[in-house]
Amino acid sequence: MTASLSQLSGRVWIYPGDPDPEAVMPCVAVVADDVGSTVVDAGQSPAHARLVQSAMAEAGLPAARRLVYTHHHWDHTWGACAWEVEEIVGQESGATLLSAEARRPWSHEYLREQVVANPRLGPSFKARARAMNGWADFAVKAPSRTFTDRLMLPGGIEVRHVGGTHAPDSTVVAVPDSGVLLLGDCFYPPPYHLREPGLAGEEIDLRQITALVAEGFDWYVDSHSSPWRPPVPE
Protein backbone atom coordinates (compact mmCIF):
# COMPACT_ATOMS: atom_id res chain seq x y z
CA MET A 1 0.00 0.00 0.00
CA THR A 2 1.28 3.46 -0.95
CA ALA A 3 -0.22 6.38 0.93
CA SER A 4 0.66 9.81 2.25
CA LEU A 5 -0.36 12.10 5.04
CA SER A 6 -3.05 14.65 4.31
CA GLN A 7 -4.09 17.58 6.44
CA LEU A 8 -7.64 17.04 7.68
CA SER A 9 -8.22 20.18 9.74
CA GLY A 10 -5.94 22.54 11.62
CA ARG A 11 -3.15 20.56 13.28
CA VAL A 12 -4.62 17.14 12.52
CA TRP A 13 -3.15 15.04 9.72
CA ILE A 14 -4.29 11.58 8.69
CA TYR A 15 -2.31 8.67 7.26
CA PRO A 16 -5.11 6.56 5.77
CA GLY A 17 -5.70 2.93 6.52
CA ASP A 18 -5.77 0.16 3.96
CA PRO A 19 -9.30 -0.23 2.50
CA ASP A 20 -8.76 -4.00 2.22
CA PRO A 21 -10.39 -5.35 5.41
CA GLU A 22 -8.12 -8.40 5.40
CA ALA A 23 -5.09 -6.13 5.76
CA VAL A 24 -6.38 -4.85 9.13
CA MET A 25 -4.36 -1.65 8.74
CA PRO A 26 -6.06 1.29 10.49
CA CYS A 27 -5.42 4.95 9.89
CA VAL A 28 -2.90 6.79 12.04
CA ALA A 29 -3.46 10.41 13.09
CA VAL A 30 -0.79 13.02 13.72
CA VAL A 31 -1.46 16.14 15.79
CA ALA A 32 1.34 18.47 14.73
CA ASP A 33 3.10 20.59 17.33
CA ASP A 34 6.35 22.52 17.03
CA VAL A 35 7.65 20.96 20.25
CA GLY A 36 6.92 17.45 18.98
CA SER A 37 3.91 15.80 17.40
CA THR A 38 1.40 13.54 19.10
CA VAL A 39 0.72 10.39 17.09
CA VAL A 40 -2.59 8.65 17.74
CA ASP A 41 -2.14 4.89 17.37
CA ALA A 42 1.20 3.33 16.54
CA GLY A 43 0.39 1.35 13.40
CA GLN A 44 -0.14 -2.39 13.05
CA SER A 45 3.53 -3.27 12.59
CA PRO A 46 6.97 -1.69 12.64
CA ALA A 47 6.79 -1.49 8.83
CA HIS A 48 3.51 0.44 9.06
CA ALA A 49 5.01 2.79 11.64
CA ARG A 50 7.98 3.50 9.38
CA LEU A 51 5.64 4.38 6.50
CA VAL A 52 3.97 6.96 8.74
CA GLN A 53 7.32 8.33 9.88
CA SER A 54 8.48 8.76 6.29
CA ALA A 55 5.23 10.52 5.42
CA MET A 56 5.64 12.86 8.40
CA ALA A 57 9.14 13.79 7.27
CA GLU A 58 7.99 14.31 3.69
CA ALA A 59 5.17 16.58 4.89
CA GLY A 60 7.62 18.57 7.04
CA LEU A 61 5.87 17.75 10.31
CA PRO A 62 7.74 17.75 13.62
CA ALA A 63 8.94 14.32 14.74
CA ALA A 64 6.78 12.36 17.17
CA ARG A 65 7.02 13.26 20.84
CA ARG A 66 4.39 10.83 22.15
CA LEU A 67 2.07 8.04 21.12
CA VAL A 68 -1.52 7.73 22.29
CA TYR A 69 -3.29 4.37 22.04
CA THR A 70 -7.02 4.45 21.31
CA HIS A 71 -7.09 0.87 22.61
CA HIS A 72 -4.84 -2.14 23.08
CA HIS A 73 -5.65 -4.20 19.94
CA TRP A 74 -2.66 -5.32 17.92
CA ASP A 75 -3.39 -3.27 14.80
CA HIS A 76 -3.18 -0.08 16.89
CA THR A 77 -0.15 -0.96 19.01
CA TRP A 78 2.26 -3.36 17.28
CA GLY A 79 4.08 -0.52 15.52
CA ALA A 80 5.06 1.12 18.82
CA CYS A 81 8.46 -0.52 19.03
CA ALA A 82 9.50 1.38 15.88
CA TRP A 83 8.78 4.82 17.37
CA GLU A 84 11.28 6.85 19.42
CA VAL A 85 9.06 8.85 21.75
CA GLU A 86 9.11 10.30 25.24
CA GLU A 87 5.96 8.50 26.35
CA ILE A 88 3.20 6.16 25.30
CA VAL A 89 -0.20 7.09 26.70
CA GLY A 90 -2.97 4.54 27.24
CA GLN A 91 -5.94 3.76 29.45
CA GLU A 92 -5.02 1.70 32.51
CA SER A 93 -7.05 -1.42 31.66
CA GLY A 94 -5.36 -1.57 28.26
CA ALA A 95 -1.96 -1.28 29.92
CA THR A 96 -2.67 -4.43 31.92
CA LEU A 97 -3.75 -6.31 28.80
CA LEU A 98 -0.71 -5.18 26.81
CA SER A 99 1.66 -6.17 29.59
CA ALA A 100 0.24 -9.69 29.31
CA GLU A 101 0.49 -9.60 25.51
CA ALA A 102 4.15 -8.59 25.78
CA ARG A 103 4.95 -11.87 27.53
CA ARG A 104 3.64 -14.05 24.72
CA PRO A 105 6.22 -15.71 22.41
CA TRP A 106 5.18 -13.96 19.21
CA SER A 107 6.38 -15.61 16.00
CA HIS A 108 4.84 -17.02 12.84
CA GLU A 109 4.99 -20.48 14.38
CA TYR A 110 3.21 -19.30 17.51
CA LEU A 111 0.49 -17.63 15.43
CA ARG A 112 -0.10 -20.85 13.50
CA GLU A 113 -0.24 -22.90 16.71
CA GLN A 114 -2.81 -20.57 18.23
CA VAL A 115 -5.07 -20.73 15.17
CA VAL A 116 -4.94 -24.55 15.22
CA ALA A 117 -5.91 -24.49 18.89
CA ASN A 118 -8.70 -21.93 18.34
CA PRO A 119 -9.79 -21.47 14.71
CA ARG A 120 -11.85 -18.41 15.66
CA LEU A 121 -8.52 -16.58 16.01
CA GLY A 122 -7.88 -17.13 12.28
CA PRO A 123 -8.87 -13.70 10.89
CA SER A 124 -6.86 -11.80 13.48
CA PHE A 125 -3.79 -14.01 13.69
CA LYS A 126 -3.48 -14.55 9.95
CA ALA A 127 -3.56 -10.75 9.47
CA ARG A 128 -0.80 -10.41 12.08
CA ALA A 129 1.31 -12.93 10.19
CA ARG A 130 0.87 -10.96 6.94
CA ALA A 131 1.80 -7.72 8.68
CA MET A 132 5.07 -8.96 10.17
CA ASN A 133 8.11 -9.57 7.98
CA GLY A 134 10.25 -10.61 10.93
CA TRP A 135 10.42 -10.59 14.71
CA ALA A 136 14.03 -9.77 15.58
CA ASP A 137 13.37 -6.24 16.87
CA PHE A 138 9.69 -6.65 17.73
CA ALA A 139 8.22 -6.00 21.16
CA VAL A 140 4.73 -5.22 22.39
CA LYS A 141 4.88 -1.90 24.22
CA ALA A 142 2.58 -1.21 27.14
CA PRO A 143 1.82 2.45 27.91
CA SER A 144 4.42 4.26 29.97
CA ARG A 145 1.78 6.75 31.15
CA THR A 146 -1.70 5.62 32.08
CA PHE A 147 -4.96 7.32 32.99
CA THR A 148 -8.35 6.23 34.31
CA ASP A 149 -11.01 8.55 32.92
CA ARG A 150 -9.51 11.70 31.34
CA LEU A 151 -6.12 13.17 30.65
CA MET A 152 -5.16 16.56 29.26
CA LEU A 153 -2.00 16.54 27.18
CA PRO A 154 0.12 19.53 26.18
CA GLY A 155 -1.35 21.50 23.33
CA GLY A 156 -4.93 21.13 24.58
CA ILE A 157 -5.35 17.51 23.47
CA GLU A 158 -7.97 15.68 25.55
CA VAL A 159 -7.77 11.91 25.97
CA ARG A 160 -10.98 10.34 27.28
CA HIS A 161 -11.94 6.78 28.18
CA VAL A 162 -15.30 5.70 26.68
CA GLY A 163 -15.09 1.90 26.90
CA GLY A 164 -17.69 -0.17 25.06
CA THR A 165 -18.00 -3.65 23.62
CA HIS A 166 -15.12 -3.42 21.15
CA ALA A 167 -12.44 -3.01 23.82
CA PRO A 168 -12.62 -2.21 27.54
CA ASP A 169 -9.99 0.52 27.18
CA SER A 170 -11.48 2.29 24.14
CA THR A 171 -10.40 5.91 24.18
CA VAL A 172 -11.25 8.97 22.10
CA VAL A 173 -8.84 11.82 21.45
CA ALA A 174 -10.23 15.33 21.04
CA VAL A 175 -8.37 18.16 19.33
CA PRO A 176 -10.77 21.06 19.96
CA ASP A 177 -8.77 23.77 18.21
CA SER A 178 -8.98 21.71 15.00
CA GLY A 179 -12.57 20.55 15.47
CA VAL A 180 -11.59 16.86 15.33
CA LEU A 181 -12.55 13.86 17.44
CA LEU A 182 -10.47 10.72 16.88
CA LEU A 183 -12.60 7.68 17.71
CA GLY A 184 -10.41 4.64 17.25
CA ASP A 185 -12.78 1.66 17.05
CA CYS A 186 -14.87 2.65 20.07
CA PHE A 187 -18.32 2.05 18.56
CA TYR A 188 -17.38 -1.09 16.61
CA PRO A 189 -18.63 -4.58 17.56
CA PRO A 190 -16.28 -6.93 19.42
CA PRO A 191 -13.50 -8.65 17.47
CA TYR A 192 -14.69 -11.81 15.71
CA HIS A 193 -13.11 -14.26 18.15
CA LEU A 194 -14.79 -12.54 21.11
CA ARG A 195 -18.31 -12.49 19.72
CA GLU A 196 -20.84 -14.74 21.37
CA PRO A 197 -21.49 -17.92 19.36
CA GLY A 198 -24.84 -17.89 17.61
CA LEU A 199 -25.09 -14.10 17.53
CA ALA A 200 -24.25 -11.92 14.55
CA GLY A 201 -22.24 -9.57 16.77
CA GLU A 202 -21.85 -7.10 13.96
CA GLU A 203 -23.94 -4.26 15.35
CA ILE A 204 -22.28 -0.95 16.08
CA ASP A 205 -22.78 0.73 19.44
CA LEU A 206 -25.38 3.19 18.22
CA ARG A 207 -25.91 4.79 21.61
CA GLN A 208 -22.22 5.58 22.00
CA ILE A 209 -21.64 7.03 18.53
CA THR A 210 -24.85 9.06 18.76
CA ALA A 211 -23.64 10.64 22.00
CA LEU A 212 -20.22 11.42 20.52
CA VAL A 213 -21.71 12.99 17.39
CA ALA A 214 -23.91 15.15 19.63
CA GLU A 215 -20.74 16.79 20.97
CA GLY A 216 -20.62 18.77 17.72
CA PHE A 217 -17.11 18.29 16.35
CA ASP A 218 -16.54 19.27 12.73
CA TRP A 219 -14.79 16.01 11.89
CA TYR A 220 -14.96 12.47 13.22
CA VAL A 221 -12.28 9.90 12.42
CA ASP A 222 -12.71 6.21 13.09
CA SER A 223 -9.84 3.89 12.37
CA HIS A 224 -11.12 1.91 9.41
CA SER A 225 -13.15 4.47 7.43
CA SER A 226 -12.52 7.79 5.74
CA PRO A 227 -12.94 10.87 7.99
CA TRP A 228 -16.54 12.01 8.09
CA ARG A 229 -18.65 14.97 9.08
CA PRO A 230 -21.79 14.57 11.18
CA PRO A 231 -25.10 14.95 9.37
CA VAL A 232 -26.55 18.44 9.30
CA PRO A 233 -29.99 18.60 10.97
CA GLU A 234 -32.78 19.48 8.58
Side-chain angles (χ1 to χ4, degrees):
M1 175 188 173
T2 301
S4 61
L5 275 169
S6 61
Q7 187 175 17
L8 176 64
S9 177
R11 297 187 292 144
V12 178
W13 295 65
I14 302 295
Y15 189 91
D18 193 323
D20 178 1
E22 292 190 359
V24 196
M25 181 182 282
C27 73
V28 174
V30 179
V31 184
D33 193 313
D34 289 342
V35 299
S37 296
T38 295
V39 176
V40 180
D41 285 331
Q44 45 93 284
S45 63
H48 186 194
R50 287 190 285 270
L51 289 173
V52 179
Q53 292 162 8
S54 294
M56 290 175 65
E58 185 175 345
L61 300 184
R65 181 180 182 182
R66 71 176 57 82
L67 296 176
V68 178
Y69 292 156
T70 61
H71 60 298
H72 72 281
H73 289 166
W74 75 276
D75 53 318
H76 300 260
T77 59
W78 272 25
C81 58
W83 292 92
E84 295 184 6
V85 292
E86 295 177 6
E87 61 182 3
I88 302 175
V89 177
Q91 205 271 341
E92 60 185 8
S93 62
T96 300
L97 292 164
L98 282 168
S99 293
E101 290 288 285
R103 294 191 291 271
R104 299 174 74 173
W106 296 108
S107 67
H108 282 86
E109 181 180 5
Y110 176 73
L111 292 170
R112 287 191 295 269
E113 291 172 350
Q114 293 299 298
V115 173
V116 170
N118 180 4
R120 288 176 61 84
L121 292 171
S124 172
F125 278 33
K126 289 176 183 178
R128 301 180 200 217
R130 286 193 294 270
M132 295 296 295
N133 296 323
W135 304 90
D137 299 318
F138 175 72
V140 174
K141 294 287 189 179
S144 57
R145 181 181 184 185
T146 61
F147 68 99
T148 303
D149 297 314
R150 293 175 183 257
L151 179 65
M152 290 298 300
L153 297 175
I157 300 170
E158 181 189 14
V159 181
R160 181 177 7 132
H161 178 231
V162 295
T165 59
H166 184 73
D169 57 322
S170 278
T171 293
V172 297
V173 180
V175 191
D177 64 4
S178 300
V180 176
L181 187 64
L182 303 165
L183 301 167
D185 297 347
C186 70
F187 62 95
Y188 287 12
Y192 173 75
H193 63 281
L194 296 178
R195 297 175 190 173
E196 294 185 32
L199 298 178
E202 296 178 355
E203 299 81 10
I204 67 169
D205 188 335
L206 188 58
R207 177 178 296 182
Q208 185 180 84
I209 191 58
T210 299
L212 292 168
V213 168
E215 295 185 19
F217 285 85
D218 298 327
W219 286 99
Y220 289 80
V221 183
D222 66 83
S223 296
H224 298 279
S225 304
S226 299
W228 45 276
R229 290 180 179 273
V232 178
E234 296 183 359

